[in-house]
Amino acid sequence: MTHEHHDREVVVERGGDGSGMGMILGIILAVIVVLAVIWFFFMGGFDGAPAGDQQQEQQIEIQPDLPPPGGPDDGDGAGG
């Protein structure tokens, strides 16, 4: 019996594929997204005021007491 001998070379290259850099960028992006979500829910959104400092708007109407038109001195010189 004769045995045939076949030479097979397996070449494995490591490094230079960029998967490590992609993982680092993914982690940084995930941290930024988590911080943005926390800020949005706990700081009150995009209006710039914290959620605890929201005040209700109050409208105050002032009505001065003025004499009705055509009173004793309405400026026409009739006097009365």
Side-chain angles (χ1 to χ4, degrees), residues 21-47:
M21 183 62 70
M23 183 181 295
I24 291 172
L25 289 176
I27 291 171
I28 291 172
L29 182 63
V31 168
I32 291 172
V33 168
V34 167
L35 290 175
V37 168
I38 290 172
W39 175 79
F40 183 76
F41 282 112
F42 292 110
M43 296 297 183
F46 293 109
D47 62 353

Side-chain angles (χ1 to χ4, degrees), residues 12-23:
V12 178
E13 293 184 19
R14 296 188 184 243
D17 58 355
S19 65
M21 183 62 70
M23 183 181 295

